[in-house]
Amino acid sequence: MGVSPSASDQRLTTMSQAIDSRPAPSEANPFHIAQRQFDEAAEYLDLEPALRELLRWPRREYKFTIPVRMDGGGTRVFHGYRVQYNDALGPTKGGLRWHPEETLDTVRALAAWMTWKTAVMDIPLGGGKGGVTCNPKELSEGERERLARGWMRVMARELGEHRDVPAPDVYTNPRIMAWMMDEYEVITGRSHPAVITGKPLVVGGSVGRDDATARGGVLCVREACRRTKVNPRGTYAIQGFGNAGQYAALLHEDILGGGKLVAVSDTSAALHNPDGFDPRETVDYKLRNGHLAGLPGSREISSDELLALDVDVLYPSALENVITETNAGDIKARIICELANGPTTPEADEILNRAGVHVIPDFLANAGGVTVSYFEQVQGTYNYYWTLDKVHRELEANMVNAYRAVCKMHDEQQVHMRMAAYLVAVARVAEAVKIRGWV
Ligand code: NAD
Protein backbone atom coordinates (compact mmCIF):
# COMPACT_ATOMS: atom_id res chain seq x y z
CA MET A 1 0.00 0.00 0.00
CA GLY A 2 3.02 2.28 0.27
CA VAL A 3 3.12 5.03 -2.35
CA SER A 4 6.31 5.58 -4.24
CA PRO A 5 6.71 9.15 -5.50
CA SER A 6 8.55 7.94 -8.56
CA ALA A 7 5.57 5.80 -9.54
CA SER A 8 3.00 8.51 -8.97
CA ASP A 9 2.63 9.70 -12.57
CA GLN A 10 2.27 6.19 -13.87
CA ARG A 11 -0.35 5.42 -11.19
CA LEU A 12 -2.31 8.54 -12.01
CA THR A 13 -2.43 7.50 -15.67
CA THR A 14 -3.55 4.01 -14.73
CA MET A 15 -6.09 5.56 -12.39
CA SER A 16 -7.69 7.65 -15.16
CA GLN A 17 -7.79 4.64 -17.47
CA ALA A 18 -9.36 2.43 -14.81
CA ILE A 19 -11.94 5.06 -13.96
CA ASP A 20 -12.72 5.88 -17.57
CA SER A 21 -13.34 2.24 -18.41
CA ARG A 22 -16.18 1.93 -15.89
CA PRO A 23 -19.75 2.91 -16.76
CA ALA A 24 -20.22 6.62 -16.07
CA PRO A 25 -21.76 7.06 -12.63
CA SER A 26 -24.85 9.18 -12.27
CA GLU A 27 -23.51 12.58 -11.21
CA ALA A 28 -26.76 13.22 -9.38
CA ASN A 29 -26.26 10.22 -7.14
CA PRO A 30 -24.06 11.29 -4.22
CA PHE A 31 -23.06 7.72 -3.40
CA HIS A 32 -21.69 7.24 -6.92
CA ILE A 33 -19.67 10.43 -6.44
CA ALA A 34 -18.35 9.18 -3.09
CA GLN A 35 -17.39 5.84 -4.66
CA ARG A 36 -15.65 7.58 -7.51
CA GLN A 37 -13.61 9.72 -5.10
CA PHE A 38 -12.65 6.61 -3.15
CA ASP A 39 -11.72 4.77 -6.37
CA GLU A 40 -9.25 7.54 -7.26
CA ALA A 41 -7.52 7.31 -3.89
CA ALA A 42 -7.57 3.48 -3.98
CA GLU A 43 -5.99 3.48 -7.41
CA TYR A 44 -3.33 5.89 -6.29
CA LEU A 45 -2.59 3.82 -3.18
CA ASP A 46 -2.61 0.68 -5.33
CA LEU A 47 -4.99 -1.13 -2.94
CA GLU A 48 -5.61 -4.80 -3.69
CA PRO A 49 -9.01 -5.73 -5.20
CA ALA A 50 -10.62 -7.27 -2.08
CA LEU A 51 -9.65 -4.27 0.06
CA ARG A 52 -11.08 -1.93 -2.57
CA GLU A 53 -14.35 -3.82 -2.79
CA LEU A 54 -14.68 -3.79 1.00
CA LEU A 55 -14.04 -0.05 1.31
CA ARG A 56 -16.27 1.06 -1.56
CA TRP A 57 -19.40 -0.34 0.15
CA PRO A 58 -21.00 0.10 3.58
CA ARG A 59 -20.38 -2.78 5.98
CA ARG A 60 -23.95 -2.63 7.30
CA GLU A 61 -27.06 -0.69 6.43
CA TYR A 62 -30.53 -0.53 7.92
CA LYS A 63 -33.69 0.66 6.18
CA PHE A 64 -36.85 0.52 8.21
CA THR A 65 -40.29 1.96 8.87
CA ILE A 66 -41.29 4.09 11.86
CA PRO A 67 -45.01 4.32 12.66
CA VAL A 68 -45.84 7.59 14.42
CA ARG A 69 -49.14 8.45 16.06
CA MET A 70 -50.14 11.89 14.76
CA ASP A 71 -51.78 14.67 16.79
CA GLY A 72 -54.90 14.72 14.62
CA GLY A 73 -55.51 10.96 15.12
CA GLY A 74 -54.27 8.17 12.87
CA THR A 75 -50.76 6.92 12.23
CA ARG A 76 -48.17 8.00 9.66
CA VAL A 77 -45.38 5.68 8.59
CA PHE A 78 -41.94 7.27 8.03
CA HIS A 79 -38.89 5.68 6.38
CA GLY A 80 -35.69 5.65 8.43
CA TYR A 81 -32.07 4.73 7.68
CA ARG A 82 -28.76 4.06 9.35
CA VAL A 83 -25.57 3.18 7.49
CA GLN A 84 -22.51 1.92 9.39
CA TYR A 85 -20.00 2.42 6.63
CA ASN A 86 -16.78 1.17 8.18
CA ASP A 87 -15.76 0.41 11.77
CA ALA A 88 -12.17 -0.77 11.31
CA LEU A 89 -10.83 2.26 13.23
CA GLY A 90 -13.51 2.22 15.94
CA PRO A 91 -17.27 2.57 16.57
CA THR A 92 -19.09 4.27 13.71
CA LYS A 93 -20.09 7.90 14.21
CA GLY A 94 -22.19 10.34 12.23
CA GLY A 95 -25.22 12.59 12.19
CA LEU A 96 -28.94 12.05 11.68
CA ARG A 97 -30.66 14.07 8.96
CA TRP A 98 -34.39 14.64 8.78
CA HIS A 99 -35.02 15.79 5.24
CA PRO A 100 -37.82 15.37 2.66
CA GLU A 101 -35.29 14.21 0.04
CA GLU A 102 -33.37 11.78 2.22
CA THR A 103 -32.65 8.46 0.50
CA LEU A 104 -30.52 5.45 1.29
CA ASP A 105 -27.94 6.70 -1.23
CA THR A 106 -27.58 10.16 0.34
CA VAL A 107 -27.05 8.45 3.70
CA ARG A 108 -24.51 5.99 2.22
CA ALA A 109 -22.50 8.83 0.67
CA LEU A 110 -22.46 10.86 3.86
CA ALA A 111 -21.47 7.76 5.85
CA ALA A 112 -18.53 7.17 3.48
CA TRP A 113 -17.42 10.81 3.86
CA MET A 114 -17.65 10.49 7.67
CA THR A 115 -15.35 7.48 7.46
CA TRP A 116 -12.69 9.53 5.67
CA LYS A 117 -13.26 12.54 7.96
CA THR A 118 -12.69 10.64 11.24
CA ALA A 119 -9.73 8.86 9.64
CA VAL A 120 -8.02 12.06 8.45
CA MET A 121 -8.44 13.44 11.99
CA ASP A 122 -6.86 10.27 13.39
CA ILE A 123 -9.62 9.82 15.94
CA PRO A 124 -10.46 6.20 16.80
CA LEU A 125 -13.89 6.13 15.15
CA GLY A 126 -15.41 4.81 11.96
CA GLY A 127 -18.01 6.54 9.82
CA GLY A 128 -21.79 6.31 9.82
CA LYS A 129 -24.86 8.38 9.00
CA GLY A 130 -28.60 8.09 9.44
CA GLY A 131 -31.80 9.81 8.58
CA VAL A 132 -35.52 9.93 8.15
CA THR A 133 -37.39 10.99 5.02
CA CYS A 134 -39.68 13.69 6.42
CA ASN A 135 -40.36 17.40 6.53
CA PRO A 136 -39.81 18.31 10.19
CA LYS A 137 -41.38 21.77 9.62
CA GLU A 138 -44.73 20.01 9.13
CA LEU A 139 -44.47 18.11 12.43
CA SER A 140 -45.57 19.30 15.87
CA GLU A 141 -43.17 19.03 18.80
CA GLY A 142 -45.01 15.94 20.07
CA GLU A 143 -44.83 14.28 16.62
CA ARG A 144 -41.11 15.04 16.41
CA GLU A 145 -40.54 13.49 19.83
CA ARG A 146 -42.48 10.33 18.86
CA LEU A 147 -40.51 10.10 15.59
CA ALA A 148 -37.18 10.45 17.46
CA ARG A 149 -38.14 7.81 20.02
CA GLY A 150 -39.53 5.54 17.26
CA TRP A 151 -36.23 5.76 15.32
CA MET A 152 -34.35 4.83 18.48
CA ARG A 153 -36.65 1.90 19.28
CA VAL A 154 -35.84 0.33 15.90
CA MET A 155 -32.09 1.02 16.05
CA ALA A 156 -31.28 0.66 19.79
CA ARG A 157 -29.93 -2.89 19.48
CA GLU A 158 -27.44 -1.78 16.81
CA LEU A 159 -26.17 1.36 18.60
CA GLY A 160 -24.04 2.07 21.67
CA GLU A 161 -20.86 3.89 22.68
CA HIS A 162 -18.84 0.86 21.54
CA ARG A 163 -20.84 0.24 18.33
CA ASP A 164 -22.34 3.29 16.65
CA VAL A 165 -22.91 6.83 17.98
CA PRO A 166 -25.33 9.24 16.23
CA ALA A 167 -25.28 13.06 16.43
CA PRO A 168 -27.33 16.02 15.10
CA ASP A 169 -27.21 17.05 11.44
CA VAL A 170 -29.61 18.77 9.01
CA TYR A 171 -32.93 19.55 10.82
CA THR A 172 -32.07 17.62 13.96
CA ASN A 173 -30.89 19.31 17.15
CA PRO A 174 -29.77 18.81 20.77
CA ARG A 175 -33.38 18.40 21.98
CA ILE A 176 -33.93 15.49 19.57
CA MET A 177 -30.64 13.93 20.75
CA ALA A 178 -31.86 14.17 24.37
CA TRP A 179 -35.14 12.35 23.51
CA MET A 180 -33.21 9.65 21.70
CA MET A 181 -30.74 9.15 24.56
CA ASP A 182 -33.64 8.99 27.00
CA GLU A 183 -35.40 6.32 24.91
CA TYR A 184 -32.17 4.30 24.71
CA GLU A 185 -31.82 4.46 28.50
CA VAL A 186 -35.46 3.38 28.96
CA ILE A 187 -34.82 0.37 26.68
CA THR A 188 -31.51 -0.65 28.29
CA GLY A 189 -32.38 0.33 31.87
CA ARG A 190 -29.01 2.04 32.32
CA SER A 191 -27.41 5.46 32.00
CA HIS A 192 -25.70 5.88 28.59
CA PRO A 193 -24.67 9.50 28.02
CA ALA A 194 -22.16 8.44 25.34
CA VAL A 195 -24.71 6.69 23.11
CA ILE A 196 -25.36 9.94 21.24
CA THR A 197 -23.56 13.30 21.00
CA GLY A 198 -24.65 16.89 20.41
CA LYS A 199 -26.81 16.74 23.54
CA PRO A 200 -27.73 19.72 25.72
CA LEU A 201 -25.08 20.40 28.40
CA VAL A 202 -27.40 19.43 31.25
CA VAL A 203 -27.65 15.82 30.02
CA GLY A 204 -24.00 15.25 29.09
CA GLY A 205 -23.20 17.59 26.19
CA SER A 206 -19.69 19.00 25.84
CA VAL A 207 -18.67 22.61 26.27
CA GLY A 208 -17.01 24.02 23.15
CA ARG A 209 -19.24 22.24 20.61
CA ASP A 210 -20.96 25.43 19.32
CA ASP A 211 -17.93 27.02 17.67
CA ALA A 212 -15.90 23.82 17.14
CA THR A 213 -16.34 23.61 13.36
CA ALA A 214 -15.19 27.19 12.75
CA ARG A 215 -12.45 26.96 15.41
CA GLY A 216 -10.99 23.88 13.70
CA GLY A 217 -11.01 25.63 10.31
CA VAL A 218 -9.42 28.82 11.63
CA LEU A 219 -6.69 26.78 13.38
CA CYS A 220 -5.89 25.20 10.00
CA VAL A 221 -5.74 28.70 8.48
CA ARG A 222 -3.23 29.75 11.16
CA GLU A 223 -1.04 26.75 10.25
CA ALA A 224 -1.52 27.44 6.54
CA CYS A 225 -0.37 31.08 6.95
CA ARG A 226 2.81 29.85 8.64
CA ARG A 227 3.42 27.30 5.91
CA THR A 228 2.68 29.49 2.90
CA LYS A 229 4.08 32.74 4.42
CA VAL A 230 0.73 34.48 3.95
CA ASN A 231 0.21 37.43 6.29
CA PRO A 232 -1.92 36.13 9.22
CA ARG A 233 -3.09 39.69 9.90
CA GLY A 234 -4.20 40.19 6.30
CA THR A 235 -7.67 40.34 4.76
CA TYR A 236 -10.40 37.68 4.79
CA ALA A 237 -13.85 37.18 3.25
CA ILE A 238 -16.69 34.87 4.32
CA GLN A 239 -19.37 33.47 2.01
CA GLY A 240 -22.34 32.28 4.12
CA PHE A 241 -23.04 33.79 7.51
CA GLY A 242 -24.73 31.03 9.52
CA ASN A 243 -23.27 28.94 12.33
CA ALA A 244 -19.94 28.20 10.67
CA GLY A 245 -19.45 31.63 9.00
CA GLN A 246 -20.35 33.74 12.05
CA TYR A 247 -18.03 31.84 14.36
CA ALA A 248 -15.24 32.03 11.76
CA ALA A 249 -15.67 35.83 11.71
CA LEU A 250 -15.44 36.00 15.50
CA LEU A 251 -12.54 33.58 15.90
CA HIS A 252 -10.30 34.57 12.98
CA GLU A 253 -8.77 37.64 14.64
CA ASP A 254 -8.49 35.91 18.03
CA ILE A 255 -6.63 32.91 16.68
CA LEU A 256 -4.52 34.70 14.05
CA GLY A 257 -3.77 37.74 16.20
CA GLY A 258 -5.42 40.20 13.80
CA GLY A 259 -6.91 40.48 10.33
CA LYS A 260 -9.47 42.52 8.41
CA LEU A 261 -12.91 41.10 7.49
CA VAL A 262 -13.57 42.82 4.15
CA ALA A 263 -16.58 40.90 2.79
CA VAL A 264 -19.49 38.81 4.06
CA SER A 265 -22.58 37.30 2.44
CA ASP A 266 -25.77 35.38 3.11
CA THR A 267 -28.87 34.72 1.01
CA SER A 268 -29.93 38.38 1.44
CA ALA A 269 -26.75 40.08 0.11
CA ALA A 270 -22.99 40.01 -0.50
CA LEU A 271 -21.32 43.03 1.10
CA HIS A 272 -17.89 44.62 0.75
CA ASN A 273 -16.05 47.08 3.00
CA PRO A 274 -12.35 47.57 2.14
CA ASP A 275 -11.81 49.26 5.54
CA GLY A 276 -13.04 46.14 7.30
CA PHE A 277 -16.22 45.14 9.16
CA ASP A 278 -16.21 44.75 12.92
CA PRO A 279 -16.90 41.00 13.30
CA ARG A 280 -18.85 41.33 16.58
CA GLU A 281 -21.07 44.14 15.24
CA THR A 282 -21.65 42.20 12.00
CA VAL A 283 -22.76 39.09 13.90
CA ASP A 284 -24.97 41.20 16.20
CA TYR A 285 -26.57 42.90 13.17
CA LYS A 286 -27.30 39.50 11.57
CA LEU A 287 -28.76 38.10 14.81
CA ARG A 288 -30.92 41.21 15.36
CA ASN A 289 -32.25 41.44 11.79
CA GLY A 290 -32.08 37.86 10.59
CA HIS A 291 -30.12 38.94 7.47
CA LEU A 292 -27.05 40.92 6.40
CA ALA A 293 -28.70 43.23 3.83
CA GLY A 294 -28.51 46.88 4.91
CA LEU A 295 -25.45 46.44 7.14
CA PRO A 296 -24.11 49.97 7.70
CA GLY A 297 -20.85 50.92 5.96
CA SER A 298 -21.12 48.29 3.26
CA ARG A 299 -21.35 48.24 -0.53
CA GLU A 300 -23.35 45.49 -2.21
CA ILE A 301 -21.43 43.24 -4.63
CA SER A 302 -22.32 40.02 -6.46
CA SER A 303 -21.61 36.59 -5.09
CA ASP A 304 -18.98 36.01 -7.81
CA GLU A 305 -17.32 39.33 -6.98
CA LEU A 306 -17.00 38.24 -3.36
CA LEU A 307 -15.31 35.00 -4.40
CA ALA A 308 -12.92 36.90 -6.69
CA LEU A 309 -11.79 39.50 -4.12
CA ASP A 310 -8.07 39.95 -3.61
CA VAL A 311 -7.94 38.60 -0.05
CA ASP A 312 -5.49 36.48 1.90
CA VAL A 313 -8.11 34.01 3.16
CA LEU A 314 -11.50 33.00 1.72
CA TYR A 315 -13.97 30.98 3.79
CA PRO A 316 -16.71 29.37 1.65
CA SER A 317 -19.21 28.61 4.45
CA ALA A 318 -22.56 28.25 2.69
CA LEU A 319 -23.17 25.73 -0.05
CA GLU A 320 -21.69 23.10 -2.30
CA ASN A 321 -20.43 23.74 -5.86
CA VAL A 322 -19.83 27.51 -5.62
CA ILE A 323 -16.22 27.43 -6.91
CA THR A 324 -16.43 25.95 -10.38
CA GLU A 325 -14.52 25.67 -13.65
CA THR A 326 -16.12 29.00 -14.64
CA ASN A 327 -14.99 31.18 -11.71
CA ALA A 328 -11.95 29.32 -10.27
CA GLY A 329 -9.60 31.21 -12.59
CA ASP A 330 -10.76 34.53 -11.08
CA ILE A 331 -9.94 33.58 -7.50
CA LYS A 332 -7.18 35.69 -5.97
CA ALA A 333 -7.30 34.39 -2.40
CA ARG A 334 -4.04 32.81 -1.23
CA ILE A 335 -5.76 30.34 1.13
CA ILE A 336 -9.25 28.79 0.84
CA CYS A 337 -10.65 27.24 4.00
CA GLU A 338 -13.68 25.10 3.05
CA LEU A 339 -15.97 25.28 6.06
CA ALA A 340 -18.89 24.29 3.79
CA ASN A 341 -19.15 20.76 2.49
CA GLY A 342 -18.23 20.37 -1.19
CA PRO A 343 -17.87 24.06 -2.21
CA THR A 344 -15.27 23.28 -4.92
CA THR A 345 -15.86 21.10 -7.99
CA PRO A 346 -13.11 18.67 -9.11
CA GLU A 347 -12.37 20.80 -12.21
CA ALA A 348 -11.99 23.91 -10.05
CA ASP A 349 -9.64 22.01 -7.72
CA GLU A 350 -7.23 21.45 -10.60
CA ILE A 351 -7.36 25.12 -11.62
CA LEU A 352 -6.74 26.33 -8.05
CA ASN A 353 -3.90 23.86 -7.58
CA ARG A 354 -2.19 25.02 -10.79
CA ALA A 355 -2.58 28.66 -9.66
CA GLY A 356 -0.89 27.83 -6.34
CA VAL A 357 -3.94 28.52 -4.16
CA HIS A 358 -3.64 26.62 -0.87
CA VAL A 359 -6.97 24.78 -0.38
CA ILE A 360 -7.80 23.33 3.03
CA PRO A 361 -10.31 20.66 1.92
CA ASP A 362 -13.74 20.41 3.52
CA PHE A 363 -13.37 17.14 5.38
CA LEU A 364 -10.26 18.49 7.11
CA ALA A 365 -11.33 22.17 7.40
CA ASN A 366 -14.73 21.45 8.98
CA ALA A 367 -13.73 18.42 11.08
CA GLY A 368 -13.58 20.40 14.34
CA GLY A 369 -17.26 19.61 14.92
CA VAL A 370 -16.90 15.83 14.78
CA THR A 371 -13.72 16.07 16.86
CA VAL A 372 -15.53 17.79 19.73
CA SER A 373 -18.40 15.29 19.29
CA TYR A 374 -15.78 12.59 19.84
CA PHE A 375 -14.65 14.44 22.99
CA GLU A 376 -18.29 14.42 24.15
CA GLN A 377 -18.40 10.65 23.61
CA VAL A 378 -15.17 10.22 25.62
CA GLN A 379 -16.47 12.42 28.46
CA GLY A 380 -19.79 10.54 28.52
CA THR A 381 -18.01 7.18 28.69
CA TYR A 382 -15.97 8.33 31.71
CA ASN A 383 -18.89 10.31 33.12
CA TYR A 384 -16.37 13.09 33.82
CA TYR A 385 -16.58 16.41 32.00
CA TRP A 386 -13.78 18.66 30.73
CA THR A 387 -13.26 22.40 31.07
CA LEU A 388 -13.58 24.64 28.02
CA ASP A 389 -9.85 25.23 28.15
CA LYS A 390 -9.15 21.48 27.92
CA VAL A 391 -11.57 21.07 24.98
CA HIS A 392 -9.80 23.92 23.15
CA ARG A 393 -6.33 22.52 23.82
CA GLU A 394 -7.28 19.00 22.69
CA LEU A 395 -9.02 20.32 19.57
CA GLU A 396 -6.01 22.43 18.65
CA ALA A 397 -3.65 19.44 18.97
CA ASN A 398 -5.93 17.26 16.79
CA MET A 399 -6.40 19.91 14.10
CA VAL A 400 -2.71 20.82 13.87
CA ASN A 401 -1.63 17.17 13.65
CA ALA A 402 -4.23 16.40 10.97
CA TYR A 403 -3.32 19.49 8.92
CA ARG A 404 0.39 18.61 9.08
CA ALA A 405 -0.22 14.97 8.08
CA VAL A 406 -2.13 16.15 4.98
CA CYS A 407 0.59 18.69 4.08
CA LYS A 408 3.25 15.98 4.42
CA MET A 409 1.34 13.74 1.99
CA HIS A 410 0.82 16.73 -0.35
CA ASP A 411 4.59 17.41 -0.36
CA GLU A 412 5.66 13.79 -0.71
CA GLN A 413 3.20 12.75 -3.41
CA GLN A 414 2.85 16.09 -5.24
CA VAL A 415 -0.96 15.76 -5.27
CA HIS A 416 -3.41 18.55 -4.47
CA MET A 417 -4.53 18.95 -0.86
CA ARG A 418 -7.89 17.19 -1.29
CA MET A 419 -6.28 14.11 -2.79
CA ALA A 420 -3.61 14.26 -0.06
CA ALA A 421 -6.36 14.22 2.59
CA TYR A 422 -8.03 11.24 0.88
CA LEU A 423 -4.72 9.39 0.71
CA VAL A 424 -4.06 9.93 4.43
CA ALA A 425 -7.59 8.83 5.37
CA VAL A 426 -7.99 5.85 3.05
CA ALA A 427 -4.49 4.56 3.89
CA ARG A 428 -5.33 4.63 7.61
CA VAL A 429 -8.61 2.74 7.22
CA ALA A 430 -7.01 0.27 4.80
CA GLU A 431 -4.20 -0.42 7.25
CA ALA A 432 -6.68 -1.08 10.08
CA VAL A 433 -8.68 -3.46 7.84
CA LYS A 434 -5.53 -5.39 6.95
CA ILE A 435 -4.16 -5.52 10.51
CA ARG A 436 -7.51 -6.92 11.67
CA GLY A 437 -7.15 -9.60 9.02
CA TRP A 438 -10.42 -8.78 7.20
CA VAL A 439 -8.67 -9.17 3.85
P1 NAD B 1 -26.37 27.58 8.40
O1 NAD B 1 -27.66 27.17 7.82
O2 NAD B 1 -26.29 28.00 9.84
O3 NAD B 1 -25.75 28.79 7.54
C1 NAD B 1 -25.69 28.80 6.15
C2 NAD B 1 -25.51 30.25 5.71
O4 NAD B 1 -25.26 30.27 4.32
C3 NAD B 1 -26.73 31.13 5.96
O5 NAD B 1 -26.30 32.37 6.48
C4 NAD B 1 -27.31 31.34 4.56
O6 NAD B 1 -27.98 32.59 4.43
C5 NAD B 1 -26.06 31.32 3.75
N1 NAD B 1 -26.28 31.03 2.33
C6 NAD B 1 -27.09 30.10 1.77
N2 NAD B 1 -27.03 30.21 0.42
C7 NAD B 1 -26.15 31.20 0.15
C8 NAD B 1 -25.66 31.77 -1.04
N3 NAD B 1 -26.08 31.35 -2.23
N4 NAD B 1 -24.75 32.78 -0.95
C9 NAD B 1 -24.34 33.24 0.25
N5 NAD B 1 -24.78 32.73 1.41
C10 NAD B 1 -25.67 31.73 1.35
O7 NAD B 1 -25.38 26.37 8.12
P2 NAD B 1 -23.97 26.06 8.82
O8 NAD B 1 -24.19 25.11 9.93
O9 NAD B 1 -23.21 27.30 9.05
O10 NAD B 1 -23.30 25.21 7.63
C11 NAD B 1 -22.73 25.87 6.50
C12 NAD B 1 -21.89 24.85 5.75
O11 NAD B 1 -20.91 24.31 6.63
C13 NAD B 1 -22.68 23.66 5.19
O12 NAD B 1 -22.08 23.25 3.99
C14 NAD B 1 -22.46 22.60 6.26
O13 NAD B 1 -22.62 21.30 5.73
C15 NAD B 1 -21.03 22.90 6.65
N6 NAD B 1 -20.71 22.34 7.97
C16 NAD B 1 -21.22 22.89 9.11
C17 NAD B 1 -20.90 22.32 10.33
C18 NAD B 1 -21.41 22.92 11.62
O14 NAD B 1 -21.01 22.43 12.70
N7 NAD B 1 -22.24 23.96 11.58
C19 NAD B 1 -20.08 21.19 10.40
C20 NAD B 1 -19.54 20.65 9.21
C21 NAD B 1 -19.87 21.24 8.00
Side-chain angles (χ1 to χ4, degrees):
M1 196 176 57
V3 183
S4 140
S6 56
S8 66
D9 287 347
Q10 190 194 337
R11 290 216 178 110
L12 277 173
T13 311
T14 323
M15 171 178 85
S16 324
Q17 286 163 353
I19 288 166
D20 290 343
S21 65
R22 278 199 306 273
S26 149
E27 284 306 323
N29 182 323
F31 185 51
H32 292 169
I33 296 170
Q35 284 189 316
R36 195 180 172 111
Q37 289 165 336
F38 163 75
D39 290 338
E40 286 193 38
E43 191 65 36
Y44 199 87
L45 291 166
D46 204 13
L47 300 186
E48 65 242 49
L51 191 49
R52 263 182 223 211
E53 188 60 13
L54 192 82
L55 294 181
R56 72 194 300 275
W57 293 99
R59 292 225 72 204
R60 284 179 291 280
E61 49 192 37
Y62 305 88
K63 184 173 181 313
F64 47 93
T65 47
I66 312 165
V68 173
R69 199 135 304 146
M70 304 301 280
D71 289 351
T75 298
R76 226 177 114 184
V77 176
F78 293 89
H79 292 266
Y81 317 91
R82 184 71 183 170
V83 172
Q84 297 168 347
Y85 193 86
N86 190 284
D87 54 2
L89 288 173
T92 46
K93 167 128 204 72
L96 296 178
R97 293 157 42 106
W98 285 9
H99 197 275
E101 274 147 44
E102 205 62 74
T103 66
L104 187 55
D105 271 343
T106 56
V107 178
R108 284 170 160 174
L110 291 157
W113 288 323
M114 277 306 295
T115 304
W116 314 133
K117 190 185 269 203
T118 52
V120 83
M121 290 308 297
D122 208 14
I123 52 185
L125 295 175
K129 209 80 177 186
V132 176
T133 311
C134 69
N135 184 353
K137 290 179 188 164
E138 290 171 355
L139 302 177
S140 71
E141 174 154 313
E143 290 163 347
R144 285 203 296 272
E145 177 173 353
R146 293 192 287 280
L147 178 59
R149 290 183 184 274
W151 190 96
M152 184 51 94
R153 278 199 297 279
V154 179
M155 281 305 300
R157 277 178 299 278
E158 318 301 335
L159 303 179
E161 49 273 56
H162 301 296
R163 299 181 81 169
D164 182 18
V165 181
D169 203 300
V170 175
Y171 294 146
T172 57
N173 58 33
R175 188 74 206 278
I176 293 174
M177 300 303 112
W179 288 325
M180 287 187 165
M181 178 192 73
D182 185 69
E183 189 67 22
Y184 188 80
E185 294 186 345
V186 168
I187 292 166
T188 59
R190 286 160 189 248
S191 162
H192 279 281
V195 71
I196 201 157
T197 62
K199 302 180 298 295
L201 284 181
V202 69
V203 286
S206 177
V207 290
R209 176 63 188 87
D210 293 357
D211 68 7
T213 299
R215 182 175 293 274
V218 177
L219 285 164
C220 289
V221 168
R222 184 191 70 191
E223 295 305 298
C225 286
R226 287 178 185 159
R227 178 187 159 87
T228 58
K229 310 274 182 283
V230 165
N231 177 10
R233 295 182 190 80
T235 50
Y236 63 108
I238 300 179
Q239 183 194 47
F241 215 59
N243 178 290
Q246 288 175 32
Y247 278 120
L250 294 173
L251 290 171
H252 182 99
E253 292 175 30
D254 256 13
I255 290 176
L256 279 90
K260 198 195 279 184
L261 173 62
V262 294
V264 285
S265 73
D266 66 2
T267 43
S268 73
L271 304 170
H272 184 217
N273 177 355
D275 297 328
F277 294 108
D278 180 290
R280 179 80 260 168
E281 283 172 14
T282 310
V283 169
D284 287 347
Y285 180 89
K286 165 94 186 182
L287 294 179
R288 252 194 337 271
N289 298 284
H291 56 75
L292 284 170
L295 180 70
S298 61
R299 181 179 68 88
E300 190 154 346
I301 55 176
S302 72
S303 196
D304 270 346
E305 282 174 306
L306 182 143
L307 293 174
L309 285 173
D310 186 3
V311 289
D312 292 299
V313 183
L314 174 66
Y315 291 96
S317 317
L319 299 173
E320 60 281 3
N321 298 333
V322 290
I323 303 176
T324 64
E325 203 172 4
T326 319
N327 61 12
D330 301 329
I331 294 223
K332 297 174 203 71
R334 262 66 78 194
I335 295 170
I336 296 181
C337 177
E338 295 181 342
L339 290 179
N341 280 316
T344 309
T345 65
E347 297 76 22
D349 246 339
E350 295 298 337
I351 297 169
L352 295 173
N353 189 47
R354 276 200 301 276
V357 180
H358 185 76
V359 177
I360 306 168
D362 49 5
F363 69 105
L364 169 63
N366 66 33
V370 71
T371 306
V372 174
S373 277
Y374 161 60
F375 297 161
E376 181 178 334
Q377 187 178 332
V378 170
Q379 294 167 76
T381 306
Y382 276 86
N383 207 11
Y384 179 79
Y385 292 85
W386 300 356
T387 60
L388 185 60
D389 185 53
K390 181 166 167 69
V391 170
H392 286 171
R393 274 187 283 117
E394 298 280 339
L395 176 62
E396 177 165 355
N398 276 261
M399 292 307 310
V400 170
N401 287 341
Y403 174 79
R404 288 184 184 160
V406 172
C407 287
K408 186 162 176 278
M409 184 65 88
H410 166 74
D411 292 341
E412 285 173 4
Q413 303 303 327
Q414 298 293 303
V415 289
H416 57 65
M417 286 285 283
R418 192 177 323 276
M419 176 56 89
Y422 265 106
L423 295 184
V424 169
V426 173
R428 281 184 182 148
V429 180
E431 191 185 346
V433 166
K434 287 177 76 167
I435 287 242
R436 285 171 178 273
W438 290 356
V439 294

